[in-house]
């Protein structure tokens, strides 16, 4: 079983809906990430939280709104999405987001597969 | 220019044989880490193996080994004794320590789809 849990596994939403993706880890990791992956493409970084603060926003449209309520939880709030936003959304965590290169292996969840109609 | 290049979109291997998945990278940073992840059709990214730029020996993890050739900037993954369950997409990734000292960004290659035939 994965140590990073994502819910829901599948989500279908209309362009006017508001929904949220949730991610939870209990490994004591202090960095959490959202990645977006289109079919047959590599994952693309969206956001990084380090110690519950947003460290990186990779110029993601404002219709995606991340939230980190505590060190174990990461949410991605979705509003007014477009059909091209349909993708697999992967959450990941690592012990930290800084320090020696490679020391912080990312552990990924199983992903939330989003379809926007 | 691509930072991570995986030139094999697809590879086939017979069960129980070994297979090498190619990965080359481009960086001017002396400190970096190289990772391989496996992604089955279910979607989860599974960490396989890590190699640091200063590591003297090639990394090994069970049936996985990394053929690290620093001068050639290559980090090929070798899977020995392939199993049917090894059929998946394999991604090579790199993490650099940038001038700010944070190494948050994992840059992925385009992936290689491995099919293990019985």
């Amino acid at each position: 079983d994965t140590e990073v849990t994502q819910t829901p596994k599948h989500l279908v939403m209309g362009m006017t809906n508001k929904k949220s993706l949730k991610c939870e880890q209990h490994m004591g990791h202090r960095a959490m990430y959202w990645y977006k992956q289109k079919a047959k493409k590599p994952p693309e970084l969206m956001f990084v939280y380090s110690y519950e603060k947003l460290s990186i926003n990779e110029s993601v449209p404002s219709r995606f709104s991340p939230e980190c309520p505590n060190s174990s939880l990461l949410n991605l709030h979705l509003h007014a999405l477009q059909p091209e936003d349909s993708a697999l959304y992967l959450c990941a965590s690592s012990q930290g987001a800084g320090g020696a290169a490679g020391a912080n292996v990312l552990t990924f969840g199983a992903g939330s597969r989003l379809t926007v109609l | 220019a691509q930072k991570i290049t995986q030139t094999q979109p697809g590879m086939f291997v017979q069960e129980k044989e070994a297979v090498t998945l190619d990965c080359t990278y481009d960086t001017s940073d002396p400190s970096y880490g190289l990772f391989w992840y496996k992604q089955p059709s279910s979607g989860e990214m599974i960490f396989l193996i890590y190699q640091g730029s200063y590591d003297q020996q090639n990394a090994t993890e069970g049936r996985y080994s990394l053929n690290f050739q620093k001068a050639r900037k290559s980090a090929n993954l070798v899977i020995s004794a392939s199993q049917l369950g090894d059929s998946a997409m394999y991604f090579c990734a790199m993490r650099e320590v940038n001038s700010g000292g944070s190494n948050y960004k994992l840059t992925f290659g385009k992936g290689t789809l491995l099919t293990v035939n019985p």
Side-chain angles (χ1 to χ4, degrees):
Chain A
D1 289 340
T2 183
E3 295 177 87
V4 176
T5 304
Q6 290 189 243
T7 55
K9 290 194 186 323
H10 300 275
L11 178 64
V12 179
M13 60 186 291
M15 290 190 285
T16 59
N17 292 157
K18 284 186 180 181
K19 297 286 185 184
S20 297
L21 304 180
K22 298 185 184 302
C23 175
E24 189 169 4
Q25 58 87 13
H26 294 289
M27 295 179 282
H29 288 177
R30 302 316 299 263
M32 297 188 77
Y33 310 74
W34 279 116
Y35 279 81
K36 173 182 177 180
Q37 186 179 23
K38 301 284 278 184
K40 303 191 182 194
K41 297 287 187 184
E44 296 177 346
L45 182 65
M46 300 175 72
F47 303 104
V48 180
Y49 274 82
S50 178
Y51 291 86
E52 301 162 46
K53 294 191 187 312
L54 183 63
S55 297
I56 302 296
N57 176 342
E58 290 283 296
S59 302
V60 178
S62 60
R63 57 185 185 269
F64 294 92
S65 175
E67 178 197 18
C68 188
N70 59 56
S71 60
S72 299
L73 293 173
L74 185 67
N75 299 322
L76 186 63
H77 302 299
L78 315 171
H79 175 53
L81 294 192
Q82 304 296 311
E84 58 265 28
D85 296 322
S86 298
L88 179 68
Y89 288 83
L90 292 162
C91 175
S93 69
S94 63
Q95 283 189 329
N104 297 310
V105 173
L106 266 65
T107 300
F108 284 84
S112 292
R113 200 168 294 277
L114 172 68
T115 303
V116 182
L117 300 176
Chain B
Q2 288 187 40
K3 290 206 168 189
I4 296 284
T5 302
Q6 294 180 255
T7 58
Q8 307 152 314
M11 287 283 285
F12 293 88
V13 66
Q14 286 298 121
E15 195 178 6
K16 299 181 185 177
E17 291 186 351
V19 63
T20 297
L21 306 184
D22 294 342
C23 174
T24 57
Y25 59 93
D26 182 26
T27 180
S28 57
D29 196 326
S31 181
Y32 53 90
L34 297 158
F35 302 79
W36 277 92
Y37 281 87
K38 170 185 177 182
Q39 188 175 39
S41 56
S42 58
E44 183 184 355
M45 296 282 285
I46 301 167
F47 167 70
L48 297 178
I49 197 166
Y50 159 75
Q51 180 85 44
S53 59
Y54 294 118
D55 292 344
Q56 295 296 312
Q57 297 196 340
N58 288 343
T60 61
E61 288 286 349
R63 294 188 298 114
Y64 304 108
S65 60
L66 202 152
N67 184 359
F68 182 46
Q69 298 188 40
K70 194 171 182 177
R72 297 178 62 182
K73 293 189 176 177
S74 74
N76 299 338
L77 177 70
V78 180
I79 306 175
S80 63
S82 297
Q83 302 172 356
L84 296 178
D86 293 335
S87 293
M89 181 70 85
Y90 288 80
F91 290 100
C92 179
M94 177 172 66
R95 200 173 210 184
E96 299 163 287
V97 177
N98 63 25
S99 58
S102 70
N103 60 338
Y104 62 89
K105 190 162 186 176
L106 202 58
T107 303
F108 287 89
K110 292 186 176 181
T112 296
L113 182 62
L114 177 67
T115 302
V116 180
N117 294 319

